[in-house]
Amino acid sequence: MQRIGRTLLGILAAACLAGCGGGGDDTAGEQNADVVAAAGDSAAVAHQQPEKAVQAFLEAVRLGDDQGAVALLTPKARTETERMDMMIAPPGSDTASFRIGEVRDTGPEVAEVDSTWTDVDQSGKPATNEITWVVRNSQDGWRISGMAAKIFPDRPAVMLNFEDPQDMIEQQRLADQEMVRRAQEAQAGGSGEARTAQDPFSQGPQ
């Protein structure tokens, strides 16, 4: 089984490496309060607010509760990722914390929920990244269908549609390719040679 959790954590790590994730603030490291206890139990968040679904999902991610995280995806996201033998459930992290932000209604039975995710970076320092979650009201209640995270400060946020695993893989490929391109350019000191490398986001899928 291919663990698509790498995509989620990859975006968070890439944000830190690209310098667009801010340093941890005084509140980011606080313990998450009022979290739905049974994150893996669909009934725990069914028919509640979209922010409760995101809260429960992130707590499941933080605890490394694979089944709990998967249970909080939309039925289509679960079906499509299972069909491709994928799992959206990153390994847990004892050093991570999160906070829920603004909630916006974006359509009939669809909402966006802002959040911050704080964890230590490769140097051991706390870094906070902003993630927006797309949440749909399905037959199970509010469930997560995708996410958007800003990896590069000069690029739009990268959208991962959990209901379309093929596109999700492609977005990760492009992000990885862009990270390599920028790292090579930085190592070359912004030389003309480094700048000739293709920008995968401007050129489109290769």
Side-chain angles (χ1 to χ4, degrees):
M1 176 176 287
Q2 182 177 354
R3 182 178 286 267
I4 298 301
R6 175 184 175 275
T7 304
L8 174 59
L9 293 184
I11 280 185
L12 296 175
C16 297
L17 292 173
C20 59
D25 55 31
D26 292 338
T27 61
E30 295 177 359
Q31 292 297 321
N32 305 306
D34 191 29
V35 173
V36 178
D41 183 358
S42 297
V45 293
H47 312 301
Q48 296 188 29
Q49 302 94 335
E51 60 267 32
K52 290 296 185 182
V54 173
Q55 191 176 39
F57 176 81
L58 291 177
E59 180 66 357
V61 169
R62 189 182 71 83
L63 295 174
D65 180 2
D66 291 359
Q67 296 306 315
V70 171
L72 290 160
L73 301 179
T74 62
K76 184 176 181 179
R78 293 198 302 268
T79 298
E80 291 299 311
T81 52
E82 183 179 355
R83 181 175 63 83
M84 296 188 66
D85 198 26
M86 297 175 178
M87 177 178 288
I88 300 175
S93 174
D94 293 337
T95 57
S97 64
F98 63 86
R99 297 181 75 85
I100 303 298
E102 182 183 356
V103 181
R104 297 177 297 278
D105 292 330
T106 57
E109 306 300 316
V110 181
E112 291 182 351
V113 180
D114 293 338
S115 71
T116 59
W117 178 272
T118 300
D119 205 346
V120 294
D121 60 19
Q122 291 180 331
S123 65
K125 297 180 180 179
T128 299
N129 296 278
E130 297 179 356
I131 305 172
T132 296
W133 301 92
V134 180
V135 191
R136 300 181 184 276
N137 197 5
S138 67
Q139 65 262 34
D140 297 331
W142 289 99
R143 294 293 184 267
I144 295 170
S145 66
M147 61 170 279
K150 195 170 179 64
I151 302 178
F152 308 105
D154 56 344
R155 296 289 185 189
V158 174
M159 177 67 196
L160 297 182
N161 182 0
F162 298 164
E163 297 181 345
D164 187 351
Q166 288 285 9
D167 183 68
M168 190 163 48
I169 292 170
E170 177 64 11
Q171 292 302 317
Q172 176 66 42
R173 186 188 70 81
L174 292 174
D176 289 344
Q177 188 175 336
E178 176 67 1
M179 286 295 299
V180 170
R181 186 184 74 85
R182 293 186 181 221
Q184 291 174 341
E185 183 172 301
Q187 288 179 348
S191 68
E193 180 180 356
R195 293 179 185 275
T196 62
Q198 278 195 333
D199 179 340
F201 286 95
S202 66
Q203 297 294 327
Q206 304 300 310

